[in-house]
Amino acid sequence: MNVERLIEIGPSPTLAGMAQRTLKTKYEGYDQALGMQRQVLAYSKEGKEIYYNVDPPPPIEEIAPPPAEPTPAPAAAAAAAPATAASGPAAQIADEPVKAVEIVHTVVAQKLKKTLEEISPGKAIKDLVGGKSTMQVRASVIRPFLMW
């Protein structure tokens, strides 16, 4: 099923509920593997979301820091030292494209349910699975790349 947004138009969300249950039982694993997010909406319930008329978020008000109270000079000097160390410009990080090796490393770690540190990029999948069927693991790891 290649539907990302299903909308039921009717007085009650009967078919939307049935579609939601079907998607959950049959397509949940498939959708997770592809990173697909499906929406099942009913006109009677989610009219605003269907027409993209969602309420805007409330404005964020900045809270002003309270005025400093006069304190003895030695205590003020001690309090000022940590504040100057923490209030510096953030370090700049270079913007680099993601390498294919990093993507594959991440997908393999996710499919094997291990952290990135537990997966060595130099090892073969056969060495990493430790007893699972190689075909089973290969299918779950390679399938997302074939769907692009």
Side-chain angles (χ1 to χ4, degrees), residues 90-102:
Q92 294 293 327
I93 299 174
D95 190 17
E96 297 177 5
V98 180
K99 298 176 185 171
V101 173
E102 294 171 343

Side-chain angles (χ1 to χ4, degrees), residues 2-148:
N2 241 356
V3 175
E4 290 185 15
R5 192 166 190 202
L6 178 74
I7 301 172
E8 177 184 2
I9 300 173
S12 65
T14 305
L15 297 176
M18 292 169 63
Q20 189 71 36
R21 286 190 301 272
T22 301
L23 288 172
K24 187 172 184 171
T25 58
K26 289 190 175 185
Y27 297 99
E28 188 173 32
Y30 180 77
D31 291 347
Q32 283 181 339
L34 294 178
M36 183 182 286
Q37 294 180 350
R38 299 180 196 254
Q39 288 182 308
V40 178
L41 305 170
Y43 177 76
S44 60
K45 284 180 140 182
E46 293 103 2
K48 283 186 172 184
E49 192 171 337
I50 291 170
Y51 290 113
Y52 298 105
N53 291 335
V54 293
D55 297 329
I60 300 172
E61 297 178 16
E62 292 188 23
I63 300 172
E69 297 178 11
T71 57
T84 56
S87 64
Q92 294 293 327
I93 299 174
D95 190 17
E96 297 177 5
V98 180
K99 298 176 185 171
V101 173
E102 294 171 343
I103 294 171
V104 172
H105 186 208
T106 305
V107 170
V108 169
Q110 178 194 16
K111 293 298 177 180
L112 296 179
K113 297 177 181 159
K114 296 183 178 183
T115 64
L116 287 174
E117 292 78 28
E118 294 175 323
I119 304 289
S120 172
K123 285 190 174 180
I125 292 177
K126 184 177 180 181
D127 298 333
L128 296 171
V129 295
K132 283 188 182 177
S133 165
T134 305
M135 292 304 292
Q136 177 187 7
V137 173
R138 189 177 300 156
S140 70
V141 171
I142 296 175
R143 185 175 296 130
F145 295 108
L146 297 177
M147 298 296 177
W148 288 345

